[in-house]
Amino acid sequence: MMLHWMSDEALSVVKCTSHESTQPHHHLKVLKETELYDNSDVKISSDRPHHVFHIYPPAVLVNLLPVSVTVFNEVVGEGKDVTLFQLDPLQVESLKITLNDVSQDSCGVVPVFDEMDEYTRLKIGDTMELSVHRENLGYHKLSLFAPYWMINKTELNLEYRDFESKKKTFHHSGQEIMCYSCDPSNQTSRIQFSAKLWDSRHTEWSAVTSLSAAGSRGCARLKCGNVIHDLGIRIQLSKFTLTKIVTITPYYLIINETKHYIKCVLGDDSTVEVQSKNVRAVWPRTNDPSMHIIIEGVKSKTFMYRNAASDDKNKIVENVLLKMRSDVVAIVVEFNITQHAHVITFSPYYAGAMPAMIVNACDSCAIRIRQNTMSTKEQFELQPHESIMYTWGDPAATRSLWWSVVGNNEQCRKPIILAKNDSGSFKFPVGLKTTTSVEETSWMIATEETEDGFTEVLSESSMVVSTTSTSTGDMVAGYWVSFLDHLQRVVLFTQDRDVVESAKAGEETGLPILDFTLSLKSIGVSLVNNAKKKEIAYIGITQSSVIWEVKKKRNKWITLNNEIISLLEEEYKKNPKVASINKGKLIADLSIMQISSPYKGQLRRTYYDGLSVHFKLNEKQIELGAKIGHIQVDNQLPFSVYPQVLYPLPPPPTVASTCEPKPFIEGSVIIRRSEKLSMAHIQYAGLLIQEMSLNVDLGFLLSIISFFTLRNSQSRLGEYVASQKKEALLPLRDFSSSGKAITDYRYFFTLIHFSPIKIRLSFNIRSYGKNLDPEEDTVAKQALNLLLHSLGVVLTSVQETEMKFAYLHLEYQQATLDRLKDKIMKHYTAQTLYQIYSLIFGLDMLGNPVSLVRGVAGGAIDLFYEPYKGVVLGGDEFLQGLGIGLMSFLGGTVGGIAGAGAKVTGAVGDVFAKLTFDEEFIDRRQQQKTAPPKLGSKFGGFAKNLFQGVTGVVTQPVKGVKEEGVFGLAKGMGKGVVGLVLRPTGGLIDLASGGLDTVRRGTSLNNVEVIQMRPPRFIDKEGILTPYSSKKAFGSALLLLLEDGAYASTDYYTDHLEIAPDPMHILLITDMRVIVVQRSRLFQGWSITWEVVHSKVKGIQLNGVTLEAIYKSKRSGFDKLQQLYPKYNERYQLPNVGVAREAIDLITKAVDYNL
């Protein structure tokens, strides 16, 4: 077949005939694209080519199944693709797909044609349904996938029932991965579970479970008579996003990490036998939560492996150390409970697993220890100068450590809480008469040398104690203290107060061996897509605002609060050499940098560095701290809805005046060092993040996705499918993250505290149309939509919705890193789900009612809080606090109501804008809405909308003819008539919305104006990155602002020169023209006052102080008519000779006119 560029057909199909009759014919799709020239000087004629031919195959099939398939006698492996040249794009072709290694009835047929749906169901045999996802990339990219991979790790034969159609699907225990899909009518993917037991009985159907939301976890209960089968269900999104991975495991799991065979006996007398280094499921028959174990014929005490049915389900099941009274000595039992798994792990003793070491260092009294006030059986007496390694005598009972002095008539004192450091005092008579005979089996700790170093082991010892003493009646003071010695909790009784103070103080850290600080005042990171020749984002880490510090004892600098800082800074700026302050309680002399009240010491004026890292090492511990003073992320895409993506927010006025400035992010970790420790001891880990604003529009999000992930995603599909299948086939022990080996390297955490996180979130689903090229628009957007669809999320706009995440606080935790990560993820996952209501009620459709309620309620809280704080600080502070409270209340009520009013009117304006059906107008309006709320710019926007609405009656049809011919003419006339009414109306509504928004910002005390850190980077035609130039960046940004980016789409910036300061006039030179632009004082915009196109003139010469364009030919009548407008005049007068000479030199250097 011959192709000709003069053909009227945009799409052609080329048929390549095979020379062999046994081979099928091949087809190619040829798409002809007309090259459009924005430069009016390029004449398009019918006698020369002006087209681009794109050659594509008809379709490409990508196999995203866990099995290979056969298409046209070609085997397509997992994650592989095949090009389907055999399909005719002009016909409805039936594509036969055969699944390999499945069953005999494993074929299906899917129709392939040009207008096929995005999702097409493919029926395989009589039982299985798959799906085909179509993407139009010039050819059909057909992704063959299963909506769900059902992974059965239960060793049971499961059955799934669709809730809508009642269709049943059997899942054999030996088939670990099964492809599954729900009925089309079941839009929320709700199913029920059942199981066929080993005795051929079937359980009842479980409650309905939805599979639609990826990331969710839960439990399904199956009953069969007295037998209960709890299944853990975890739904995850696959790495290739189209499939959800549904993993079904036993909810209760036992992991044996010891070297012994363990027999577990449940409260219902059922048994579970677990070999060493193995995993077994637990299927309780009743709600009895008790269990005991038998090792080598020795039975342990009964303990609770789960909460009783009547207990709080969220109650934590505490770990326990079992005393076995045999060669085994002790077994550690730990519980890891998540929403989809309850894992019971048995492991050998390790250092720190003992609940407590109790030491009686008193000289003249014995201490009676018992587990709780009601227990008399599980108690013992500790004689003077004796110690014992203690574990709970009855693990199933209440675990509280009660104590009393033997022979003293007073009742048991308050229990000692072993989870924290504590201390107290008591009194007892001297010579207290007691007669005690105790035989008790206890533990002794020894240290054995192994291949891995020294390890603590336990050995048993028996003691028989018989003592007698008498009392004289005199009272003696005693003390007790609970503290950590390395990893072991120690409870010490003593008569020496100094011993208690020494234990509370802990070990001295000693002199530092290494101490250094690395500081960077500022650092910037630029994200540039050089293939697209655009900068996406700029991340700036900079210094904080000015802070003042006072030098205290030990050369430690303390930051003053904001109130004092503002007073000091005000006087310092006046004249720092002679400035002295005496205002109320503040007395300072800035000439010598000294303060005498309310603090006394040396002053210094400084900043928080952009990034600082402090490292300190001594014999006992390692300290690592990091701070980020201030961070801001700018969206550098043109006409973005939100120019600033992320930036810190100031504290509310209730605390701003009385608190000191803090860096945006501050983190610290302190690690204890000791050769005796078998695990890392992290004494403290803290993270503090200040409140922030996060603003994202769809264009920015898609550009980031394209920048980081999409470039190699297609080539890595095979890797994704293979790794996903490998994970699915892992044994149960390694499969569940909850089942990580307990003997993995462990960490002991004394304290972990992550501060609350508060984010003010805004998201807009629109984006400026020119920010994305067609590839990004089709690939990135589809990927994002697939991801959100898979997560069960509907994408919509939200405006200033507060997301509050509660703090994370953990004390005295022993865990592996994986288990600690699980706890942190569980905390923030729950917090995220809790915040969903904010997103629901924060949708910016008819305004944001959450913003109004938060504003008014916040004002009331401030009025209540600040006066109370002022009373504590004194009379002057009370009056000041009352003033701040009243102002905040005024700002909260007036600003809150005005802000909600602005959003309501803005939402109405959105409706009018969408009715114009003009995408460019909608894009410009979105950009105007997020501009700084200056009334001048709002009036300018209204005037511009009025002007464009009137002129659009003519310009829209002309534009339509140029783009789409006769059809474009009709469409343009419709847009022009509709815009004549709706554009001025929408502009008036936006003017009202902007006025209300200005009122809101004016009445808000903690409003912050954030400006762009720097203009986007200038990238030349070749796309070569060069060092950043602020001049070129400004000139390129200025070109982008002219006529809403119309010039930037055709021209490349070359150079510019400021020719007048007020009002500002700039001579702008591009590769296509010379322009003089003027800044408007009222409307905050730029207008063109003179323009010369290079191709129309021989050159530009200087005549005195006047630039004169020399045209190549006599100007036409239309050109002469244009001379009535100064923009098209042949001459432009400059202000003086110096500027004129500089301007002509710049033009001559930048443009070669060949005069």
Side-chain angles (χ1 to χ4, degrees), residues 359-362 426 477-480 492-497 499-500:
V359 180
N360 183 7
C362 296
F426 59 94
Y479 308 92
W480 66 270
L492 172 67
F493 295 89
T494 180
Q495 294 172 229
D496 190 343
R497 185 181 181 88
V499 173
V500 175

Side-chain angles (χ1 to χ4, degrees), residues 1092 1094 1096-1101 1108-1113 1130 1153 1155:
V1092 176
H1094 297 326
K1096 290 185 177 182
V1097 299
K1098 297 179 180 178
I1100 299 176
Q1101 65 183 14
E1108 183 176 349
I1110 304 173
Y1111 282 82
K1112 294 180 179 178
S1113 60
E1130 296 180 357
Y1153 283 117
L1155 286 175

Side-chain angles (χ1 to χ4, degrees), residues 198-235:
W198 298 278
D199 56 5
S200 299
R201 292 186 300 164
H202 280 271
T203 66
E204 301 174 6
W205 289 104
S206 68
V208 177
T209 300
S210 175
L211 306 181
S212 59
S216 60
R217 304 178 180 188
C219 177
R221 170 160 290 190
L222 313 181
K223 294 183 179 180
C224 182
N226 294 329
V227 180
I228 299 174
H229 287 74
D230 287 329
L231 306 180
I233 302 173
R234 181 175 60 180
I235 306 170

Side-chain angles (χ1 to χ4, degrees), residues 637-648:
L637 298 175
F639 305 109
S640 55
V641 178
Y642 302 110
Q644 285 75 44
V645 177
L646 184 143
Y647 54 87

Side-chain angles (χ1 to χ4, degrees), residues 507-512 616 618-620:
E507 299 181 7
E508 294 293 334
T509 59
L511 296 175
K616 186 176 181 180
N618 55 48
E619 294 180 355
K620 301 297 183 182

Side-chain angles (χ1 to χ4, degrees), residues 293-314:
I293 64 173
I294 300 175
I295 300 178
E296 298 178 1
V298 178
K299 177 182 176 182
S300 74
K301 295 290 183 68
T302 299
F303 60 93
M304 300 296 178
Y305 73 95
R306 61 186 174 96
N307 293 318
S310 59
D311 290 347
D312 181 9
K313 295 301 180 183
N314 296 321

